[in-house]
Amino acid sequence: MNVDSWLEEKGFGQFSAFFKKHGITMEKLSKITSHEELIEIGIKSFMHRKKMLSEMAALTPLPTGGAPPLGPPPSPGSPFIGQQAKNKDAHRVRPSRKGAAEEIVRIRPIPSKTLNEHEEAIIINSKKLHSKIKDLGHDHEEVGDCYFELGSNYYMNSQYDKAIVNHKKALAIRIKCFGEDDIDVVLSYYQLGNDYYMDSNYDLAIKNHKKALEIQIELNEDDDNNEGVAAIYFDLGKDYYYDSQYDKAIDCHEKALEIRHYIYGEDDLLVAESHYQLGLNYYAAGKFSNALSQMKTAWRIYCELGEKDSDNAQKAKDYLDELMVKTDDIEDTEVDDISAQRVETNTESGKSLNEIESWISLGDECVESKKNAEALIHYQKAMELSRATSQNSEKTKTVAEINFKLGTTCKSLEKYEEAKSYLIESTSSFVSLYGKNCFESARSYSQLGDVYYYLNEYEDAIKNHSMALESYTILYGKQVPLVAWSHYDLGLDYYWTEDYKQAISHFRSSLEIRVKLYGMQHKEVASCYHRLGLSYYWDNQYELSIKSYKQALEIRENLFGKESKAFDDLRFSLGQACYYANMAMEAKEYFLASVGFRKSEYGSSSKEYKKAKEWLDKI
């Protein structure tokens, strides 16, 4: 079977051109495991992506031996399969000692079976880019393609700032090589729009999507009725929607709908998606009658296509319930018709469960789009409905999972006291349901440990991170990323309690696992060496500190180059270690380089520059 046949069989035939364009074979298809990969291919609908991933999972062969899968599955019976912890970057500054201060960068893992796949692609394509520049010069079209590919790797890894930098370079080269009227230029503007959208910079998302649309229409001449134009209108509408420009959002989504009607007819999932998005626009604009009309049409199409249980269909159904209360001009027959469709498949308890899952799904989608404040509202609504249902084992599981989601969302919003309360509840519930040695309990211990860490309650952080380490080790063995992260977390906990011997022990354990998993040239390996350097430094073991720093510096130079903040932070720390080891000439060399970088990067009036200059002047 080929990809076209598979797509047709599964009901995704309308996306065949997207998969062809990206050279997707059956082998590559079986390795697609994330929403980000499908977004890159061009599948914008959350509902379509979710269904595709479900079908694609059947293509992926189960592991037959060797290392355990990087992404542990939830325990049997969990109603929320696949919900994992999210990335979290937090910056904390340790009080100065001997006149020095360091910044700890805390990066949380993404436990999934594609862990670090995009990071590996970034390393490979960075080397490919440098090779192309050396062979062809900076302005060759193949160099532009490399920048575009590297930008897409960063996009897939949720590093949108770096995606933007690389896609802008690709755009500049492509304009220079081909002029503006070229399909590759359209793709560059379009992808930049996506980068800015995911980075919540809607003004620049609008600017780039509008430019892509302008050129695409010009290239099509008199034929604007194609999915490429419709997709850009649709995404531009979402830019306007999230920028609260609802009239412009409505205009764009109506144009996308018109084109999709022409291409696919009335009864197609993309058409239903357009009606649904128009309903959201009208709802946000306070035009409830118009919103009702669009949601009714979306719901009808979903039902006729057998998709009434899909995420967007359930959301449309929930909006219908609310809109029927808000509007006065609905005929009784219309209300009865919609109610009848709902009663066919739902008992009252089932209805409640569907409503709860719809709110949870809305929250998950907001988290995916980095709209955590909105996600919190949706999860709170789910909790409110869940607590109102009758007591049973499913309710207990659901409440535990919602508490976990509320806790991790509050953590991302830096509402740590609220997060602590929710996560204490979720941890207690999961341990009661499954015991402490299950993924849910371990995951909850880990997140609760993080919250205590951010609250500077290090003893409780150590207690919970230790429980997570014990559970993960029992579940998956010692040589897996989650165990490496638990050792790393404990290293940070002990570091801040000034128990440097214990910190060093855990950082070394984390390092050993990561080197075996990823090899030396990996950012998480560099992070371990960096933290070891800091711990040895505060333990007055300057020679070992210098050795660790130099290892980290070498890796970061290979990964990011010398002109990066991560490299400069390490270089500055290495200068401090050399200073206290009475290696004045080496310290001076590092401080000089740091002064030059910080003057260029931050300016001569910045605190970063002044700090480096102060240390340089000591020598």
Side-chain angles (χ1 to χ4, degrees), residues 10-48:
K10 301 302 180 182
F12 304 123
Q14 69 268 35
F15 299 116
S16 179
F18 292 99
F19 284 80
K20 280 183 181 176
K21 178 180 175 181
H22 287 80
I24 304 299
T25 62
M26 286 301 293
E27 181 182 357
K28 291 180 180 178
L29 191 73
S30 69
K31 295 178 181 178
I32 294 175
T33 56
S34 69
H35 282 269
E36 289 80 4
E37 290 168 286
L38 290 176
I39 289 171
E40 177 66 16
I41 290 170
I43 313 304
K44 300 301 179 186
S45 165
F46 179 83
M47 177 189 68
H48 288 145

Side-chain angles (χ1 to χ4, degrees), residues 381-510:
K381 182 65 176 178
M383 179 62 80
E384 178 185 329
L385 290 171
S386 185
R387 292 195 186 282
T389 61
S390 57
Q391 184 69 39
N392 54 53
S393 61
E394 284 304 313
K395 174 183 174 178
T396 305
K397 296 174 188 176
T398 301
V399 170
E401 189 66 31
I402 298 171
N403 270 323
F404 179 80
K405 291 173 184 287
L406 283 165
T408 54
T409 305
C410 284
K411 188 185 81 168
S412 70
L413 294 169
E414 300 182 7
K415 298 181 177 182
Y416 298 125
E417 287 293 347
E418 291 179 51
K420 180 170 76 171
S421 176
Y422 287 126
L423 288 167
I424 287 173
E425 286 289 327
S426 73
T427 304
S428 174
S429 297
F430 284 134
V431 171
S432 176
L433 284 165
Y434 307 123
K436 68 178 183 178
N437 294 324
C438 74
F439 174 68
E440 283 83 359
S441 298
R443 174 184 64 166
S444 209
Y445 279 129
S446 179
Q447 293 291 322
L448 183 55
D450 292 348
V451 170
Y452 281 123
Y453 171 89
Y454 294 131
L455 289 169
N456 302 326
E457 298 174 18
Y458 300 119
E459 294 303 323
D460 285 320
I462 289 168
K463 177 182 175 181
N464 282 276
H465 283 143
S466 295
M467 292 298 294
L469 174 61
E470 179 183 343
S471 298
Y472 282 139
T473 303
I474 291 171
L475 285 168
Y476 309 114
K478 294 182 178 180
Q479 302 299 318
V480 295
L482 289 170
V483 171
W485 270 108
S486 295
H487 278 298
Y488 189 85
D489 288 338
L490 281 164
L492 290 173
D493 298 337
Y494 281 114
Y495 175 90
W496 290 106
T497 61
E498 300 187 9
D499 187 343
Y500 301 119
K501 296 290 191 295
Q502 283 282 3
I504 289 165
S505 174
H506 283 289
F507 285 135
R508 286 178 63 87
S509 295
S510 182

Side-chain angles (χ1 to χ4, degrees), residues 51-191:
K51 188 173 180 183
M52 278 188 184
L53 290 173
S54 176
E55 296 287 355
M56 288 169 178
L59 297 172
T60 307
L62 295 173
T64 56
L70 299 183
S75 298
S78 171
F80 299 95
I81 300 297
Q83 180 66 27
Q84 305 284 340
K86 300 291 181 182
N87 262 0
K88 175 72 175 80
D89 292 342
H91 302 272
R92 311 189 55 208
V93 179
R94 179 177 175 76
S96 62
R97 177 184 176 193
K98 299 181 182 177
E102 298 81 30
E103 184 177 64
I104 289 286
V105 182
R106 187 170 174 81
I107 304 172
R108 301 298 302 138
I110 307 176
S112 73
K113 61 184 175 182
T114 57
L115 184 68
N116 300 311
E117 176 182 344
H118 304 308
E119 295 167 346
E120 291 171 7
I122 287 167
I123 296 170
I124 292 168
N125 286 319
S126 293
K127 292 178 180 178
K128 179 181 175 183
L129 171 64
H130 293 145
S131 176
K132 289 287 185 183
I133 291 173
K134 183 177 180 181
D135 294 341
L136 303 171
H138 286 274
D139 297 327
H140 195 277
E141 63 182 88
E142 290 185 26
V143 174
D145 292 341
C146 286
Y147 275 121
F148 187 86
E149 188 174 359
L150 185 56
S152 298
N153 297 145
Y154 280 121
Y155 177 91
M156 303 271 281
N157 202 41
S158 302
Q159 294 174 264
Y160 303 119
D161 53 344
K162 294 184 178 180
I164 289 165
V165 169
N166 284 276
H167 283 136
K168 285 174 75 172
K169 290 179 179 178
L171 174 63
I173 293 170
R174 287 174 169 180
I175 291 175
K176 189 170 185 178
C177 290
F178 311 123
E180 283 218 329
D181 297 336
D182 184 85
I183 188 62
D184 283 342
V185 174
V186 173
L187 290 173
S188 290
Y189 276 120
Y190 179 69
Q191 189 56 52

